[in-house]
């Protein structure tokens, strides 16, 4: 990685994704966290299982916003290969309450 998020919750999210650590991933989120993929809201648990954990998802961060809550990354998994993506995170009380990802 050439950049890393300064926001602790977002940094923990990226670390958990890259480690394939499901428990750590869900620990970064609020109990009622939501997400969207390419502008469509998804079931977060089902999406994470499909796009991260069962397909070995990984993030190689290219750029991070000054507040550490938005980033551009090459996202790679066994299903789709690698693609350039944008990620935006809403952090509430130190946990991610929403994230949005899309192709960049």
């Amino acid at each position: 990685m050439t950049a890393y998020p300064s926001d602790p919750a977002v940094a923990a999210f990226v670390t958990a994704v890259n480690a394939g650590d499901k428990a750590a991933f869900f620990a970064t989120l609020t109990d009622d966290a939501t997400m969207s993929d390419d502008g469509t809201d998804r079931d977060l648990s089902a999406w994470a299982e499909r796009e991260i954990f069962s397909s070995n998802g990984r993030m190689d961060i290219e750029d991070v916003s000054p507040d550490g809550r938005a980033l551009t990354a090459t996202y790679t998994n066994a299903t789709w290969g690698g693609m350039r993506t944008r990620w935006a995170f809403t952090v509430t009380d130190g946990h991610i309450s929403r994230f949005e990802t899309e192709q960049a």
Side-chain angles (χ1 to χ4, degrees):
M1 278 184 231
T2 57
Y4 209 73
S6 58
D7 185 280
V10 177
F13 178 98
V14 171
T15 298
V17 167
N18 287 343
D21 187 334
K22 195 181 297 191
F25 174 83
F26 285 104
T28 69
L29 306 173
T30 62
D31 290 340
D32 60 349
T34 61
M35 61 88 52
S36 72
D37 184 358
D38 287 328
T40 302
D41 279 6
R42 308 284 182 184
D43 176 283
L44 194 153
S45 293
W47 182 90
E49 184 58 40
R50 182 180 61 254
E51 300 293 337
I52 300 171
F53 302 112
S54 67
S55 62
N56 198 32
R58 298 286 178 266
M59 301 172 81
D60 182 18
I61 299 173
E62 298 172 16
D63 187 49
V64 179
S65 66
D67 68 0
R69 293 184 178 180
L71 55 91
T72 303
T74 299
Y75 187 78
T76 305
N77 69 22
T79 303
W80 305 108
M83 67 183 79
R84 195 161 185 259
T85 56
R86 282 190 206 92
W87 298 74
F89 298 87
T90 302
V91 177
T92 305
D93 297 329
H95 289 84
I96 296 165
S97 55
R98 180 167 177 83
F99 67 92
E100 299 172 357
T101 184
E102 63 186 7
Q103 291 190 47

